[in-house]
Amino acid sequence: MLAELSPPARTQRRAPSSELIAVLRQHFGERCSTSHAVLLQHGTDESAYLPQPPDAVVYVQSSEEVAFVVRACARERVPIIGFGVGSSVEGHLLAIEGGVCVDFSQMNQVLAIRPGDLTATVQAGVTRGQLNAALAGTGFFFSVDPGADASIGGMVATAASGTNTVRYGTMRDNLVNLTVVTASGEVVRTASRARKSAAGYNLTQLYCGSEGTLGLITEATVRLHPHPEACAAAVVHFPTVQAAVDCVIESIQMGVPLARAEMLDALTIRAVNAHSRTALSENPTLFLEFGGSRAQIDEQSDTVREIAASHGGGAFEWAHLPEERSRLWTPRHHAYFACLQLKPGSRSLTTDACVPLSALAQCIAETQADLAEHGLLAPLFGHVGDGNFHCLVLVDPESDEENAAAEAFSHRLVQRALRHGGTCTGEHGVGLHKQHYLALEHGAPGVALMRAVKQALDPHNIFNPGKVVGAAGPDHHPH
């Protein structure tokens, strides 16, 4: 994806001194890099922003090494930015004030799997795929699936969710405790391993979704779920997006425990067919998954088939074996890259919104009307079982007019979601791009409270400065 938007200008770049770089090189050797290529890699994410590299990258292998970096940087008040795999989409990891990037890719150990407790403890650099590979044969799996094979630490930092959220919840729902390095370089555990506690403030949830602005997450204990006895996946087409969304909403209201519920509009299906060489009917489509005993699956699928028929849905295409389900779901997982091919040479301004289920169909209908009115090419798809949907606005990176139109649409989408009682971002996070909506969503007193937390935990603003409730304030806009 080509990048175009410029991060906000900063009056001061807080680069590390040559003495600090020397200290880091002496301690980490070749694991401290100032190579241009390495810096560029760590200053680039999947957002529409231009790269903004750090001044140095340190590859850490333990909580103690993270603490060493933090203490060294804190002495000079040099910024510190955590890096997992770089899959964020709102400019979270851009080093807009310079500083040192802490790369967690070598902290990739699964430290403990406790089937009796239904938990696993991992280092922050372990990816979702690596954890589930380690769980193979245990009868359990880690449920949060944002699409990208993101690091667990990054998923905690951005409060990730994804295709399984409708049944298993978000990252917030699947956390037990964290190990965090604070601004003073102390290593803190946020909670015990007990399933519940009434002891003190909920530090675990405070750090979840903080996007690296309050501390660096080095380890996480996460909840595991048993594999259901059986699974079945289905694809069904509908005459309209609203019909597909209404089918999901009615199914949930009827108490059907859907494991996954994804909606792709006709434009997305066209892109998927071209990219994955599939032959799906180019209509709004639901990708569904059911889990449980075979009898439960039969009962659930009968109910949903009946509901789908009442909304004009077509015949269900079923997959029961794991390889069949994978074949069915692979096109959905490739939707982002497929959509980019709809307009060769384009980039995507990717945005998301989340609204209460009761408002979802209307919000999507208004969004599609908005896209049509302004002539924007923007595939729409999402996790409609939890009210979350995404728009990929495809624009020519050289066209100021198209980029401005895409930003204006994104602004209208957020306003629409808030008007429906929703949120400016269901899972992408705030980063740089959505700071100016926090006051609209939470009110000025709410944002002031967030800033007070930031000031208390990071008084010298060294952790990922300028993000979430950064100095840009609620009126900052990414143009």
Side-chain angles (χ1 to χ4, degrees), residues 59-139:
Y59 295 85
V60 291
Q61 296 177 346
S62 67
S63 297
E64 290 69 28
E65 287 192 345
V66 175
F68 180 91
V69 176
V70 171
R71 288 193 297 268
C73 290
R75 285 193 288 270
E76 293 190 8
R77 301 186 182 178
V78 167
I80 306 162
I81 305 101
F83 186 97
V85 298
S87 58
S88 56
V89 295
E90 298 289 3
H92 300 82
L93 55 81
L94 303 186
I96 60 174
E97 295 187 21
V100 175
C101 176
V102 177
D103 184 302
F104 285 93
S105 60
Q106 295 183 20
M107 285 188 67
N108 59 357
Q109 301 299 309
V110 176
L111 301 174
I113 296 172
R114 306 180 188 87
D117 293 333
L118 279 73
T119 67
T121 300
V122 300
Q123 289 183 313
V126 171
T127 67
R128 173 184 62 84
Q130 288 169 341
L131 175 54
N132 277 320
L135 292 169
T138 66

Side-chain angles (χ1 to χ4, degrees), residues 75-339:
R75 285 193 288 270
E76 293 190 8
R77 301 186 182 178
V78 167
I80 306 162
I81 305 101
F83 186 97
V85 298
S87 58
S88 56
V89 295
E90 298 289 3
H92 300 82
L93 55 81
L94 303 186
I96 60 174
E97 295 187 21
V100 175
C101 176
V102 177
D103 184 302
F104 285 93
S105 60
Q106 295 183 20
M107 285 188 67
N108 59 357
Q109 301 299 309
V110 176
L111 301 174
I113 296 172
R114 306 180 188 87
D117 293 333
L118 279 73
T119 67
T121 300
V122 300
Q123 289 183 313
V126 171
T127 67
R128 173 184 62 84
Q130 288 169 341
L131 175 54
N132 277 320
L135 292 169
T138 66
F140 298 93
F141 75 106
F142 174 64
S143 65
V144 185
D145 178 5
D149 191 18
S151 68
I152 301 297
M155 291 167 66
V156 175
T158 54
S161 54
T163 61
N164 290 321
T165 299
V166 63
R167 180 160 184 175
Y168 296 103
T170 70
M171 199 73 216
R172 293 188 188 277
D173 304 305
N174 287 278
L175 270 182
V176 178
N177 64 45
L178 300 170
T179 301
V180 176
V181 175
T182 69
S184 60
E186 295 175 311
V187 179
V188 173
R189 191 182 68 185
T190 60
S192 72
R193 283 171 31 214
R195 289 191 68 82
K196 65 178 183 178
S197 172
Y201 299 130
N202 192 337
L203 298 179
T204 304
Q205 293 299 328
L206 178 62
Y207 284 102
C208 184
S210 64
E211 301 181 17
T213 63
L214 303 180
L216 290 181
I217 297 160
T218 62
E219 295 177 9
T221 298
V222 297
R223 300 191 191 283
L224 307 178
H225 298 274
H227 283 291
E229 176 187 324
C231 287
V235 169
V236 57
H237 307 289
F238 289 83
T240 65
V241 166
Q242 180 155 351
V245 173
D246 284 342
C247 174
V248 174
I249 294 171
E250 191 173 329
S251 298
I252 292 171
Q253 290 171 339
M254 290 286 288
V256 178
L258 294 169
R260 294 184 183 184
E262 297 286 295
M263 189 281 295
L264 281 63
D265 73 356
L267 184 58
T268 307
I269 294 295
R270 187 203 309 170
V272 163
N273 280 339
H275 182 268
S276 299
R277 299 182 181 179
T278 50
L280 296 167
S281 175
E282 292 183 3
N283 292 295
T285 301
L286 288 182
F287 286 69
L288 303 170
E289 191 161 287
F290 306 87
S293 68
R294 297 192 183 280
Q296 288 172 326
I297 289 176
D298 289 342
E299 182 181 353
Q300 294 164 19
S301 59
D302 286 346
T303 301
V304 176
R305 260 201 305 258
E306 196 174 304
I307 294 170
S310 72
H311 291 284
F316 278 53
E317 178 187 349
W318 286 98
H320 296 274
L321 298 175
E323 57 271 22
E324 292 175 341
R325 297 203 312 276
S326 176
R327 176 185 59 80
L328 212 59
W329 275 101
T330 295
R332 165 61 185 93
H333 282 306
H334 292 170
Y336 172 78
F337 296 103
C339 289

